[in-house]
mmCIF file of all heavy atoms in Angstrom:
data_model
loop_
_atom_site.group_PDB
_atom_site.id
_atom_site.type_symbol
_atom_site.label_atom_id
_atom_site.label_comp_id
_atom_site.label_asym_id
_atom_site.label_seq_id
_atom_site.Cartn_x
_atom_site.Cartn_y
_atom_site.Cartn_z
ATOM 1 N N PRO A 114 -1.167 -193.129 150.096
ATOM 2 C CA PRO A 114 0.041 -193.886 150.009
ATOM 3 C C PRO A 114 1.058 -193.270 149.028
ATOM 4 O O PRO A 114 2.110 -193.965 148.729
ATOM 5 C CB PRO A 114 -0.393 -195.287 149.628
ATOM 6 C CG PRO A 114 -1.593 -195.040 148.739
ATOM 7 C CD PRO A 114 -2.269 -193.788 149.353
ATOM 8 N N ILE A 115 0.891 -192.151 148.496
ATOM 9 C CA ILE A 115 1.842 -191.503 147.556
ATOM 10 C C ILE A 115 3.155 -191.185 148.316
ATOM 11 O O ILE A 115 3.150 -190.570 149.388
ATOM 12 C CB ILE A 115 1.253 -190.244 146.957
ATOM 13 C CG1 ILE A 115 0.016 -190.579 146.144
ATOM 14 C CG2 ILE A 115 2.267 -189.538 146.038
ATOM 15 C CD1 ILE A 115 -0.749 -189.411 145.637
ATOM 16 N N GLU A 116 4.209 -191.593 147.747
ATOM 17 C CA GLU A 116 5.584 -191.246 148.378
ATOM 18 C C GLU A 116 6.236 -190.240 147.542
ATOM 19 O O GLU A 116 6.421 -190.302 146.317
ATOM 20 C CB GLU A 116 6.401 -192.525 148.344
ATOM 21 C CG GLU A 116 5.904 -193.601 149.322
ATOM 22 C CD GLU A 116 6.749 -194.908 149.349
ATOM 23 O OE1 GLU A 116 7.826 -194.788 148.785
ATOM 24 O OE2 GLU A 116 6.388 -195.828 150.222
ATOM 25 N N VAL A 117 6.662 -189.237 148.265
ATOM 26 C CA VAL A 117 7.294 -188.054 147.670
ATOM 27 C C VAL A 117 8.880 -188.285 147.745
ATOM 28 O O VAL A 117 9.428 -188.365 148.882
ATOM 29 C CB VAL A 117 7.001 -186.652 148.308
ATOM 30 C CG1 VAL A 117 7.692 -185.561 147.652
ATOM 31 C CG2 VAL A 117 5.489 -186.533 148.244
ATOM 32 N N ALA A 118 9.602 -188.324 146.535
ATOM 33 C CA ALA A 118 10.993 -188.520 146.505
ATOM 34 C C ALA A 118 11.731 -187.131 146.559
ATOM 35 O O ALA A 118 11.064 -186.115 146.254
ATOM 36 C CB ALA A 118 11.358 -189.325 145.349
ATOM 37 N N GLU A 119 13.010 -187.150 146.899
ATOM 38 C CA GLU A 119 13.720 -185.911 146.970
ATOM 39 C C GLU A 119 13.706 -185.192 145.637
ATOM 40 O O GLU A 119 13.771 -183.997 145.634
ATOM 41 C CB GLU A 119 15.152 -186.348 147.474
ATOM 42 C CG GLU A 119 15.974 -185.120 147.659
ATOM 43 C CD GLU A 119 17.386 -185.466 148.137
ATOM 44 O OE1 GLU A 119 17.650 -186.634 148.450
ATOM 45 O OE2 GLU A 119 18.311 -184.560 148.252
ATOM 46 N N GLU A 120 13.787 -185.962 144.493
ATOM 47 C CA GLU A 120 13.811 -185.304 143.218
ATOM 48 C C GLU A 120 12.463 -184.818 142.725
ATOM 49 O O GLU A 120 12.430 -184.162 141.683
ATOM 50 C CB GLU A 120 14.381 -186.244 142.214
ATOM 51 C CG GLU A 120 13.641 -187.471 141.933
ATOM 52 C CD GLU A 120 13.954 -188.609 142.828
ATOM 53 O OE1 GLU A 120 14.575 -188.469 143.955
ATOM 54 O OE2 GLU A 120 13.642 -189.841 142.503
ATOM 55 N N ASP A 121 11.362 -185.141 143.454
ATOM 56 C CA ASP A 121 10.115 -184.630 143.017
ATOM 57 C C ASP A 121 10.035 -183.127 143.207
ATOM 58 O O ASP A 121 10.712 -182.469 144.017
ATOM 59 C CB ASP A 121 8.928 -185.239 143.860
ATOM 60 C CG ASP A 121 8.768 -186.631 143.528
ATOM 61 O OD1 ASP A 121 9.572 -187.252 142.756
ATOM 62 O OD2 ASP A 121 7.953 -187.340 144.147
ATOM 63 N N LEU A 122 9.153 -182.508 142.370
ATOM 64 C CA LEU A 122 8.948 -181.022 142.454
ATOM 65 C C LEU A 122 7.537 -180.817 142.911
ATOM 66 O O LEU A 122 6.605 -181.507 142.531
ATOM 67 C CB LEU A 122 9.148 -180.375 141.172
ATOM 68 C CG LEU A 122 10.517 -180.369 140.506
ATOM 69 C CD1 LEU A 122 10.523 -179.984 139.099
ATOM 70 C CD2 LEU A 122 11.491 -179.687 141.332
ATOM 71 N N ILE A 123 7.367 -180.021 143.977
ATOM 72 C CA ILE A 123 6.029 -179.647 144.511
ATOM 73 C C ILE A 123 5.671 -178.268 144.140
ATOM 74 O O ILE A 123 6.464 -177.267 144.450
ATOM 75 C CB ILE A 123 5.942 -179.807 146.095
ATOM 76 C CG1 ILE A 123 6.212 -181.311 146.413
ATOM 77 C CG2 ILE A 123 4.627 -179.399 146.574
ATOM 78 C CD1 ILE A 123 6.223 -181.602 147.935
ATOM 79 N N VAL A 124 4.631 -178.083 143.388
ATOM 80 C CA VAL A 124 4.226 -176.715 142.858
ATOM 81 C C VAL A 124 3.000 -176.398 143.560
ATOM 82 O O VAL A 124 1.916 -177.008 143.487
ATOM 83 C CB VAL A 124 4.078 -176.737 141.327
ATOM 84 C CG1 VAL A 124 3.790 -175.368 140.792
ATOM 85 C CG2 VAL A 124 5.283 -177.291 140.689
ATOM 86 N N ARG A 125 3.003 -175.228 144.317
ATOM 87 C CA ARG A 125 1.898 -174.735 145.074
ATOM 88 C C ARG A 125 1.231 -173.565 144.398
ATOM 89 O O ARG A 125 1.913 -172.784 143.781
ATOM 90 C CB ARG A 125 2.298 -174.424 146.484
ATOM 91 C CG ARG A 125 3.055 -175.562 147.183
ATOM 92 C CD ARG A 125 3.575 -175.248 148.530
ATOM 93 N NE ARG A 125 4.371 -176.317 149.130
ATOM 94 C CZ ARG A 125 3.801 -177.352 149.790
ATOM 95 N NH1 ARG A 125 2.493 -177.452 149.825
ATOM 96 N NH2 ARG A 125 4.559 -178.284 150.189
ATOM 97 N N ARG A 126 -0.038 -173.451 144.584
ATOM 98 C CA ARG A 126 -0.790 -172.307 143.986
ATOM 99 C C ARG A 126 -1.730 -171.697 145.074
ATOM 100 O O ARG A 126 -2.324 -172.426 145.795
ATOM 101 C CB ARG A 126 -1.536 -172.653 142.707
ATOM 102 C CG ARG A 126 -2.802 -173.424 142.909
ATOM 103 C CD ARG A 126 -3.580 -173.643 141.582
ATOM 104 N NE ARG A 126 -4.901 -174.029 141.771
ATOM 105 C CZ ARG A 126 -5.334 -175.245 141.925
ATOM 106 N NH1 ARG A 126 -4.417 -176.291 142.002
ATOM 107 N NH2 ARG A 126 -6.665 -175.590 142.000
ATOM 108 N N LEU A 127 -1.822 -170.418 144.999
ATOM 109 C CA LEU A 127 -2.789 -169.676 145.937
ATOM 110 C C LEU A 127 -4.100 -169.239 145.305
ATOM 111 O O LEU A 127 -4.856 -168.668 145.935
ATOM 112 C CB LEU A 127 -1.999 -168.466 146.626
ATOM 113 C CG LEU A 127 -0.832 -168.703 147.522
ATOM 114 C CD1 LEU A 127 -0.133 -167.465 147.796
ATOM 115 C CD2 LEU A 127 -1.292 -169.443 148.807
ATOM 116 N N HIS A 128 -4.196 -169.407 144.001
ATOM 117 C CA HIS A 128 -5.371 -168.914 143.313
ATOM 118 C C HIS A 128 -5.745 -169.680 142.110
ATOM 119 O O HIS A 128 -4.924 -170.636 141.679
ATOM 120 C CB HIS A 128 -5.047 -167.500 142.835
ATOM 121 C CG HIS A 128 -3.954 -167.501 141.811
ATOM 122 N ND1 HIS A 128 -4.130 -167.729 140.497
ATOM 123 C CD2 HIS A 128 -2.493 -167.325 141.986
ATOM 124 C CE1 HIS A 128 -2.938 -167.585 139.840
ATOM 125 N NE2 HIS A 128 -1.992 -167.355 140.730
ATOM 126 N N GLY A 129 -6.940 -169.591 141.707
ATOM 127 C CA GLY A 129 -7.368 -170.144 140.438
ATOM 128 C C GLY A 129 -7.767 -171.733 140.515
ATOM 129 O O GLY A 129 -7.769 -172.294 141.660
ATOM 130 N N LEU A 130 -8.014 -172.208 139.356
ATOM 131 C CA LEU A 130 -8.479 -173.608 139.271
ATOM 132 C C LEU A 130 -7.565 -174.580 138.651
ATOM 133 O O LEU A 130 -7.757 -175.773 138.788
ATOM 134 C CB LEU A 130 -9.764 -173.677 138.350
ATOM 135 C CG LEU A 130 -10.924 -172.750 138.853
ATOM 136 C CD1 LEU A 130 -11.986 -172.735 137.769
ATOM 137 C CD2 LEU A 130 -11.624 -173.395 140.170
ATOM 138 N N SER A 131 -6.499 -174.053 138.010
ATOM 139 C CA SER A 131 -5.581 -174.945 137.308
ATOM 140 C C SER A 131 -4.237 -175.072 137.892
ATOM 141 O O SER A 131 -3.639 -174.072 138.405
ATOM 142 C CB SER A 131 -5.448 -174.417 135.872
ATOM 143 O OG SER A 131 -4.435 -175.082 135.194
ATOM 144 N N PRO A 132 -3.696 -176.333 137.882
ATOM 145 C CA PRO A 132 -2.305 -176.484 138.386
ATOM 146 C C PRO A 132 -1.227 -175.792 137.556
ATOM 147 O O PRO A 132 -0.064 -175.693 137.930
ATOM 148 C CB PRO A 132 -2.133 -177.981 138.354
ATOM 149 C CG PRO A 132 -3.546 -178.591 138.430
ATOM 150 C CD PRO A 132 -4.320 -177.544 137.576
ATOM 151 N N LEU A 133 -1.604 -175.431 136.271
ATOM 152 C CA LEU A 133 -0.634 -174.866 135.314
ATOM 153 C C LEU A 133 -0.750 -173.302 135.187
ATOM 154 O O LEU A 133 0.254 -172.644 135.260
ATOM 155 C CB LEU A 133 -0.737 -175.443 133.930
ATOM 156 C CG LEU A 133 -0.062 -176.837 133.725
ATOM 157 C CD1 LEU A 133 -0.932 -177.949 134.364
ATOM 158 C CD2 LEU A 133 0.174 -177.129 132.267
ATOM 159 N N ALA A 134 -1.900 -172.807 135.145
ATOM 160 C CA ALA A 134 -2.111 -171.394 134.859
ATOM 161 C C ALA A 134 -1.589 -170.544 136.081
ATOM 162 O O ALA A 134 -2.103 -170.853 137.266
ATOM 163 C CB ALA A 134 -3.598 -171.117 134.653
ATOM 164 N N GLY A 135 -0.693 -169.721 135.802
ATOM 165 C CA GLY A 135 -0.228 -168.839 136.976
ATOM 166 C C GLY A 135 0.755 -169.491 137.919
ATOM 167 O O GLY A 135 1.045 -168.943 138.940
ATOM 168 N N THR A 136 1.277 -170.744 137.525
ATOM 169 C CA THR A 136 2.234 -171.439 138.363
ATOM 170 C C THR A 136 3.497 -171.662 137.584
ATOM 171 O O THR A 136 3.658 -171.241 136.420
ATOM 172 C CB THR A 136 1.705 -172.854 138.787
ATOM 173 O OG1 THR A 136 1.704 -173.721 137.722
ATOM 174 C CG2 THR A 136 0.323 -172.676 139.376
ATOM 175 N N ASP A 137 4.488 -172.310 138.200
ATOM 176 C CA ASP A 137 5.807 -172.549 137.561
ATOM 177 C C ASP A 137 5.918 -173.835 136.813
ATOM 178 O O ASP A 137 6.838 -174.237 136.257
ATOM 179 C CB ASP A 137 6.886 -172.684 138.693
ATOM 180 C CG ASP A 137 7.136 -171.364 139.388
ATOM 181 O OD1 ASP A 137 6.902 -170.292 138.687
ATOM 182 O OD2 ASP A 137 7.629 -171.464 140.529
ATOM 183 N N VAL A 138 4.683 -174.568 136.729
ATOM 184 C CA VAL A 138 4.729 -175.887 136.091
ATOM 185 C C VAL A 138 5.169 -175.853 134.623
ATOM 186 O O VAL A 138 6.141 -176.673 134.218
ATOM 187 C CB VAL A 138 3.332 -176.605 136.070
ATOM 188 C CG1 VAL A 138 3.316 -177.827 135.299
ATOM 189 C CG2 VAL A 138 3.006 -176.916 137.643
ATOM 190 N N ASP A 139 4.682 -174.918 133.871
ATOM 191 C CA ASP A 139 5.095 -174.891 132.472
ATOM 192 C C ASP A 139 6.615 -174.623 132.244
ATOM 193 O O ASP A 139 7.322 -175.357 131.549
ATOM 194 C CB ASP A 139 4.378 -173.736 131.702
ATOM 195 C CG ASP A 139 4.693 -173.733 130.099
ATOM 196 O OD1 ASP A 139 4.974 -174.779 129.566
ATOM 197 O OD2 ASP A 139 4.684 -172.531 129.685
ATOM 198 N N ALA A 140 7.203 -173.640 133.051
ATOM 199 C CA ALA A 140 8.543 -173.317 132.945
ATOM 200 C C ALA A 140 9.433 -174.528 133.347
ATOM 201 O O ALA A 140 10.491 -174.873 132.789
ATOM 202 C CB ALA A 140 8.932 -172.182 133.759
ATOM 203 N N LEU A 141 8.962 -175.216 134.454
ATOM 204 C CA LEU A 141 9.743 -176.381 134.951
ATOM 205 C C LEU A 141 9.680 -177.449 133.941
ATOM 206 O O LEU A 141 10.795 -178.106 133.643
ATOM 207 C CB LEU A 141 9.021 -176.883 136.334
ATOM 208 C CG LEU A 141 9.237 -175.803 137.456
ATOM 209 C CD1 LEU A 141 8.354 -176.353 138.600
ATOM 210 C CD2 LEU A 141 10.612 -175.714 137.857
ATOM 211 N N LEU A 142 8.581 -177.780 133.247
ATOM 212 C CA LEU A 142 8.611 -178.827 132.317
ATOM 213 C C LEU A 142 9.485 -178.534 131.139
ATOM 214 O O LEU A 142 10.135 -179.353 130.650
ATOM 215 C CB LEU A 142 7.157 -179.016 131.901
ATOM 216 C CG LEU A 142 6.128 -179.569 132.852
ATOM 217 C CD1 LEU A 142 4.694 -179.630 132.251
ATOM 218 C CD2 LEU A 142 6.427 -181.030 133.236
ATOM 219 N N ARG A 143 9.466 -177.275 130.640
ATOM 220 C CA ARG A 143 10.295 -176.912 129.551
ATOM 221 C C ARG A 143 11.759 -176.971 129.885
ATOM 222 O O ARG A 143 12.557 -177.553 129.126
ATOM 223 C CB ARG A 143 9.887 -175.519 129.072
ATOM 224 C CG ARG A 143 8.525 -175.436 128.483
ATOM 225 C CD ARG A 143 8.171 -174.081 127.764
ATOM 226 N NE ARG A 143 6.760 -174.062 127.464
ATOM 227 C CZ ARG A 143 6.218 -174.683 126.390
ATOM 228 N NH1 ARG A 143 7.077 -175.267 125.563
ATOM 229 N NH2 ARG A 143 4.929 -174.577 126.073
#
Side-chain angles (χ1 to χ4, degrees):
I115 298 170
E116 295 185 359
V117 180
E119 185 177 354
E120 63 269 20
D121 291 3
L122 298 171
I123 299 179
V124 182
R125 306 178 185 278
R126 76 177 195 274
L127 292 172
H128 62 86
L130 300 170
S131 171
L133 277 78
T136 73
D137 293 333
V138 170
D139 181 37
L141 293 172
L142 291 174
R143 293 187 189 281

